[in-house]
Amino acid sequence: MLKINDRITIEDWELTEQFVRASGPGGQNVNKVASAVELRFEAERSPNLPDPVKRRLKRLAGRRWTKEGALIIQCDETRHQARNRDIARERLAELITRALEAPKRRIATRPTLGSKKRRLKAKKVRGEVKSLRGSVTPGEE
């Protein structure tokens, strides 16, 4: 069981861990020890997450979200299987915590008079620069 906050906990049946061989340095040890972990969280079927949180989690997860609605987190940072497992669980908890925060709605504001004038002045200056770039006649050289 993975506790996210006071209201949300992830049950063990929603998480699947698979241990695979890690890539990268480690010598002969890396070829015989499955220290990397692949944590699979069945987010779409989870009864503990509200729908808006699931939608935000899907957006945050990006390519780690599968077509079946599962979130896959891989970790092969350390040589220790148990430490990689803890890191993967921490990453999942952090991702869900970020998805719990509802984004603030943007309040539309009007541009100030000063910003309008600055924008028009910049356009005028740019137009003058471009107009001076005209073609050169043979007599002006």
Side-chain angles (χ1 to χ4, degrees):
M1 193 163 76
L2 182 66
K3 187 174 166 78
I4 306 299
N5 63 16
D6 297 336
R7 291 170 297 180
I8 296 177
T9 53
I10 306 299
E11 300 299 327
D12 288 332
W13 67 266
E14 299 174 79
L15 296 174
T16 312
E17 288 171 340
Q18 187 177 1
F19 297 101
V20 292
R21 289 190 180 142
S23 62
Q28 293 173 340
N29 186 59
V30 81
N31 298 326
K32 58 187 179 188
V33 179
S35 59
V37 69
E38 191 177 272
L39 182 69
R40 184 181 176 97
F41 170 51
E42 299 297 335
E44 199 67 55
R45 296 189 301 151
S46 175
N48 300 318
L49 294 180
D51 283 337
V53 175
K54 286 180 188 176
R55 283 195 300 271
R56 287 193 292 268
L57 185 62
K58 184 177 181 178
R59 198 178 68 243
L60 284 170
R63 287 174 46 208
R64 294 176 288 191
W65 191 274
T66 64
K67 288 186 180 101
E68 299 87 43
L71 174 62
I72 296 176
I73 294 178
Q74 293 174 322
C75 180
D76 61 350
E77 279 182 20
T78 66
R79 285 181 171 187
H80 305 285
Q81 192 181 67
R83 183 69 189 119
N84 282 337
R85 185 172 175 246
D86 293 340
I87 292 170
R89 285 174 170 257
E90 286 168 17
R91 285 184 189 163
L92 175 64
E94 181 188 319
L95 210 59
I96 294 171
T97 306
R98 281 177 45 202
L100 286 170
E101 296 169 12
K104 291 181 182 174
R105 288 191 58 83
R106 184 187 177 281
I107 300 167
T109 56
R110 290 177 58 198
T112 61
L113 184 64
S115 69
K116 285 181 191 174
K117 287 183 177 176
R118 281 191 298 274
R119 183 179 65 86
L120 292 174
K121 185 175 181 232
K123 282 171 71 80
K124 194 172 292 268
V125 168
R126 195 81 195 126
E128 286 173 9
V129 167
K130 288 185 175 188
S131 67
L132 292 173
R133 280 190 200 148
S135 59
V136 179
T137 55
E140 288 183 18
E141 291 180 27

